[in-house]
Amino acid sequence: MGDIVLIGSSIFELWYNYDKAFPGRKARNLAIGGTTTRDWLDETLRPLLRKEKPGEIILYVGSNDILVHEEEEIKNNLLAVRNSIFTYDPRIGFAYFSIIKAPGKRGQWDKIERINSWFRDSLKRGDFFYDTDRVFFINGRLREDYFLEDLTHHPPEAYDALVDDVTGRLTDWLDQRESQRDRQNPV
């Protein structure tokens, strides 16, 4: 199996220090700003999977859908992306970072919460779900300082906090995956 590959929209594309979240592992960031869940369906995803042959896919997508697509379409597309990866190669690990409740989408937070909750519950055993609220909310209050003037994207200190919070969780998940692979493929 190959490296860790990050895909999704600008939140990942702009993640300047993503490699620090994967200490001792090779990770590549292939996220594309402005993409929606539709953009990561088979026509984009399949060629990427064939070319990159990832061991794990880390996905952040859906925030660009919130204002323009219905909830059910977003859910169906997220599931289709996950299923497409699994159908292509069931050995690929799948991780999803929940849609961030950005200030610019405040009127859509309930929709975001429903989608995040539904997708977390829809994932398969062994998948990894990261709740971005862990970083962007403290005691139930949004960290406004973790957003730029566009009310969507993040300054470096928000990405630093993300790395600080997610690294141990990702490391545990990746270690479990490696251990499972070793058990399935003894030398």
Side-chain angles (χ1 to χ4, degrees), residues 56-71:
E56 286 80 26
I57 292 278
I58 315 290
L59 176 67
Y60 178 86
V61 71
S63 61
N64 292 326
D65 297 63
I66 292 299
L67 299 175
V68 294
H69 297 299
E70 295 298 321
E71 187 173 326

Side-chain angles (χ1 to χ4, degrees), residues 73-74 76 84 173:
E73 180 180 355
I74 299 167
N76 290 336
S84 185
W173 175 66

Side-chain angles (χ1 to χ4, degrees), residues 8-170:
S9 60
S10 59
I11 299 302
F12 266 15
E13 181 184 40
L14 299 171
W15 189 0
Y16 80 98
N17 60 347
Y18 72 91
D19 55 326
K20 291 182 179 179
F22 307 98
R25 294 180 164 93
K26 292 178 76 175
R28 289 187 308 285
N29 190 340
L30 303 178
I32 302 167
T35 55
T36 66
T37 55
R38 284 182 186 175
D39 296 318
W40 289 103
L41 296 174
D42 285 337
E43 58 274 3
T44 302
L45 188 58
R46 289 291 179 146
L48 181 138
L49 293 170
R50 280 193 294 277
K51 180 181 177 210
E52 300 295 329
K53 297 175 181 39
E56 286 80 26
I57 292 278
I58 315 290
L59 176 67
Y60 178 86
V61 71
S63 61
N64 292 326
D65 297 63
I66 292 299
L67 299 175
V68 294
H69 297 299
E70 295 298 321
E71 187 173 326
E72 288 307 309
E73 180 180 355
I74 299 167
K75 289 176 179 179
N76 290 336
N77 288 347
L78 283 169
L79 198 55
V81 170
R82 169 59 183 92
N83 289 341
S84 185
I85 292 166
F86 188 73
T87 300
Y88 177 79
D89 186 342
R91 298 171 300 168
I92 295 174
F94 180 78
Y96 182 73
F97 280 51
S98 68
I99 300 169
I100 296 167
K101 293 181 210 143
K105 296 179 176 92
R106 196 177 300 269
Q108 301 295 315
W109 283 5
D110 288 343
K111 180 180 179 181
I112 291 169
E113 185 60 40
R114 286 190 305 271
I115 291 167
N116 286 340
S117 210
W118 173 86
F119 196 52
R120 180 188 60 237
D121 294 343
S122 299
L123 292 177
K124 302 204 180 299
R125 190 169 144 236
D127 289 343
F128 177 81
F129 180 89
Y130 180 73
D131 184 355
T132 56
D133 284 356
R134 295 179 52 81
V135 170
F136 294 100
F137 283 81
I138 293 183
N139 298 324
R141 294 184 54 100
L142 181 68
R143 291 286 313 256
E144 302 276 351
D145 59 320
Y146 278 4
F147 293 88
L148 298 174
E149 290 178 11
D150 68 3
L151 303 178
T152 300
H153 295 98
H154 312 290
E157 48 275 6
Y159 284 112
D160 295 342
L162 180 62
V163 166
D164 289 346
D165 189 71
V166 78
T167 300
R169 289 167 177 75
L170 281 171

